[in-house]
Amino acid sequence: MPHITIESGKLTDEQKRTLVERLTAVSSEVMKIPPEFYSITIHEIDDASYGIGGKCIDLVKQEYMEKHS
Amino acid sequence: MPHITIESGKLTDEQKRTLVERLTAVSSEVMKIPPEFYSITIHEIDDASYGIGGKCIDLVKQEYMEKHS
Amino acid sequence: MPHITIESGKLTDEQKRTLVERLTAVSSEVMKIPPEFYSITIHEIDDASYGIGGKCIDLVKQEYMEKHS
Amino acid sequence: MPHITIESGKLTDEQKRTLVERLTAVSSEVMKIPPEFYSITIHEIDDASYGIGGKCIDLVKQEYMEKHS
Amino acid sequence: MPHITIESGKLTDEQKRTLVERLTAVSSEVMKIPPEFYSITIHEIDDASYGIGGKCIDLVKQEYMEKHS
Amino acid sequence: MPHITIESGKLTDEQKRTLVERLTAVSSEVMKIPPEFYSITIHEIDDASYGIGGKCIDLVKQEYMEKHS
């Protein structure tokens, strides 16, 4: 306890390490619970499986590229 | 806000686009919240990792095939 | 299978019934899986526990009211 | 690690204790990970917020009572 | 995108505001995604519904108090 | 209803089958709900995406190996 779940796009291992370290530190400080009690899972969702405002992100990116190429 | 998570089997990109589009439209209409506020994530779970009624779906499908071949 | 989770603000029972009915119908049609296989859970999150763009929604609403009163 | 989430109807504290104890024991045995590494959260969802086969459970129960009263 | 879910014990509104603000800022910096794209939900789980190492936290706290009173 | 989600490391198909079978049986017995109502999803999270106490598990394992080699 507590458990934090992150749904995001593709991340590098370096980004994941920094996120786990710093999100744990901030949460521990704010909740006054020792860091060792925290667990964090990162779910990398590909663009075709992530929708924002009714559109999948791969489509949003594709349209952006077509408009700006 | 709001955030919708879907756990399902393998889907085509076309199915995902249609789901994101239509689930956002229906939710937006019912909740009276503009579509751009919605996020949807789709987690494709393979059959060996999805259990129904105490059995993994790959096993259910396998037994079905054996019974009907 | 499949399972859909909705995190939203407070909803009426009528809204929940319509959401469950129509999201199941749309998903069933798109995924070609009979409706009886679907489960949907709705998590009503209060404004103070839902953050958008780094701010809790109760604060966003409060600031909006102050600005427009 | 690992983390188990349960979405269910209303449970007694006694049921929750037994679930946490026995699900941890079974998972620990099968995964060969010491029990102290496990965390379990139970989300009690009321019937009006849980849909099965396109219908909220409060409605399913209501119809059942009407039919059998 | 991205979406962060926190399962924790009871928190004050002040703690929630600080968490939402600072977790969004850290994630935005590390992932290089503007803060306005982030959504965070906080699920406050009561002690009787949160298990660690096979025991519900209300029981853990109760035993601690008995031992140290 | 109910729905159980497991976030864990890599598991064999055999482990997944046993988990689905036995977790469903235990939950069904404790909650007094027939097993066929249960659904379980297993999310296998790689070590670089799972943080415990502020550190990703791949790093924890790496440091352990260096210390004990």
Side-chain angles (χ1 to χ4, degrees):
Chain A
M1 187 189 195
H3 183 67
I4 299 175
T5 309
I6 302 168
E7 289 175 296
S8 75
K10 195 81 193 84
L11 296 172
T12 65
D13 282 357
E14 196 43 43
Q15 284 177 307
K16 292 179 200 175
R17 286 181 184 176
T18 312
L19 275 174
V20 162
E21 196 184 307
R22 293 182 57 190
L23 296 187
T24 300
V26 166
S27 306
S28 172
E29 186 198 316
V30 174
M31 296 189 203
K32 297 182 181 49
I33 294 175
E36 54 272 26
F37 285 95
Y38 286 81
S39 57
I40 296 183
T41 50
I42 298 170
H43 298 253
E44 292 169 289
I45 315 277
D46 55 66
D47 289 348
S49 298
Y50 212 124
I52 303 277
K55 234 180 218 174
C56 290
I57 290 178
D58 59 338
L59 205 60
V60 174
K61 287 183 178 175
Q62 187 186 311
E63 288 171 359
Y64 180 86
M65 298 300 283
E66 281 158 15
K67 209 171 143 193
H68 295 79
S69 56
Chain B
M1 184 188 198
H3 183 68
I4 298 175
T5 308
I6 302 169
E7 290 175 294
S8 76
K10 194 82 190 88
L11 297 172
T12 65
D13 282 358
E14 198 42 44
Q15 284 178 306
K16 292 180 200 174
R17 285 180 185 178
T18 311
L19 276 174
V20 162
E21 196 184 307
R22 293 182 58 190
L23 296 188
T24 300
V26 167
S27 305
S28 172
E29 185 198 316
V30 174
M31 295 190 203
K32 297 181 180 50
I33 293 175
E36 55 271 25
F37 284 95
Y38 285 81
S39 56
I40 296 183
T41 49
I42 299 170
H43 297 253
E44 292 169 288
I45 315 278
D46 56 65
D47 289 348
S49 298
Y50 212 124
I52 303 277
K55 233 180 220 176
C56 289
I57 289 178
D58 59 340
L59 205 59
V60 173
K61 288 182 177 176
Q62 187 187 310
E63 288 171 359
Y64 180 86
M65 296 301 281
E66 281 157 18
K67 209 171 143 194
H68 294 80
S69 55
Chain C
M1 188 191 199
H3 183 67
I4 298 175
T5 308
I6 302 168
E7 290 175 294
S8 75
K10 195 82 191 87
L11 296 172
T12 64
D13 281 359
E14 196 43 44
Q15 284 178 306
K16 293 180 202 175
R17 286 182 185 176
T18 311
L19 275 174
V20 162
E21 195 183 309
R22 291 183 58 191
L23 296 187
T24 300
V26 167
S27 306
S28 172
E29 185 197 317
V30 175
M31 295 190 205
K32 297 181 180 48
I33 293 175
E36 53 271 25
F37 284 96
Y38 286 80
S39 56
I40 296 183
T41 49
I42 299 170
H43 297 255
E44 292 169 289
I45 315 276
D46 54 67
D47 289 349
S49 298
Y50 212 124
I52 303 277
K55 235 178 216 176
C56 290
I57 288 178
D58 60 339
L59 206 58
V60 173
K61 287 183 177 176
Q62 188 186 311
E63 287 171 1
Y64 180 86
M65 297 299 282
E66 281 158 17
K67 209 171 142 192
H68 294 80
S69 58
Chain D
M1 189 188 200
H3 183 67
I4 298 175
T5 309
I6 303 169
E7 290 175 295
S8 75
K10 195 83 191 88
L11 297 172
T12 65
D13 282 359
E14 196 44 45
Q15 284 178 307
K16 292 180 201 174
R17 285 181 185 177
T18 312
L19 275 174
V20 162
E21 195 183 309
R22 292 183 57 190
L23 296 188
T24 300
V26 167
S27 306
S28 172
E29 185 199 316
V30 175
M31 295 190 204
K32 298 181 180 50
I33 294 175
E36 53 271 27
F37 284 96
Y38 285 81
S39 56
I40 296 183
T41 49
I42 299 170
H43 297 253
E44 292 171 289
I45 315 277
D46 54 67
D47 289 349
S49 298
Y50 212 124
I52 304 277
K55 236 180 214 176
C56 290
I57 289 177
D58 60 340
L59 206 58
V60 173
K61 288 183 177 175
Q62 188 186 312
E63 288 171 359
Y64 180 86
M65 297 300 282
E66 281 157 18
K67 209 172 145 191
H68 294 79
S69 57
Chain E
M1 185 189 200
H3 183 67
I4 298 174
T5 308
I6 302 168
E7 290 175 295
S8 76
K10 195 80 190 88
L11 297 172
T12 65
D13 281 359
E14 197 42 46
Q15 284 178 307
K16 292 180 200 174
R17 285 182 185 177
T18 311
L19 275 174
V20 163
E21 196 183 306
R22 292 182 57 190
L23 296 188
T24 301
V26 167
S27 306
S28 172
E29 185 198 315
V30 174
M31 296 189 204
K32 297 181 179 49
I33 294 175
E36 54 272 24
F37 284 96
Y38 285 81
S39 57
I40 296 183
T41 49
I42 299 169
H43 297 253
E44 292 170 288
I45 315 277
D46 55 66
D47 289 349
S49 298
Y50 212 125
I52 304 276
K55 234 178 215 179
C56 290
I57 290 177
D58 60 338
L59 205 59
V60 173
K61 288 182 177 177
Q62 189 186 310
E63 289 171 359
Y64 181 86
M65 297 300 282
E66 280 157 18
K67 208 171 141 194
H68 294 80
S69 56
Chain F
M1 188 187 198
H3 183 68
I4 298 175
T5 308
I6 302 168
E7 290 175 295
S8 75
K10 195 82 191 88
L11 297 172
T12 65
D13 282 358
E14 195 43 44
Q15 284 178 307
K16 292 179 200 174
R17 285 181 185 177
T18 312
L19 275 174
V20 163
E21 195 183 308
R22 293 182 58 190
L23 296 187
T24 300
V26 168
S27 306
S28 172
E29 185 198 315
V30 174
M31 294 190 205
K32 298 182 179 46
I33 293 176
E36 54 271 27
F37 285 95
Y38 285 81
S39 57
I40 296 183
T41 50
I42 299 169
H43 297 253
E44 292 170 287
I45 316 277
D46 55 67
D47 289 349
S49 298
Y50 212 124
I52 304 277
K55 234 180 220 176
C56 289
I57 289 177
D58 60 339
L59 206 58
V60 173
K61 288 183 177 175
Q62 187 187 312
E63 289 170 359
Y64 181 86
M65 297 302 282
E66 280 157 16
K67 208 171 144 194
H68 294 80
S69 57

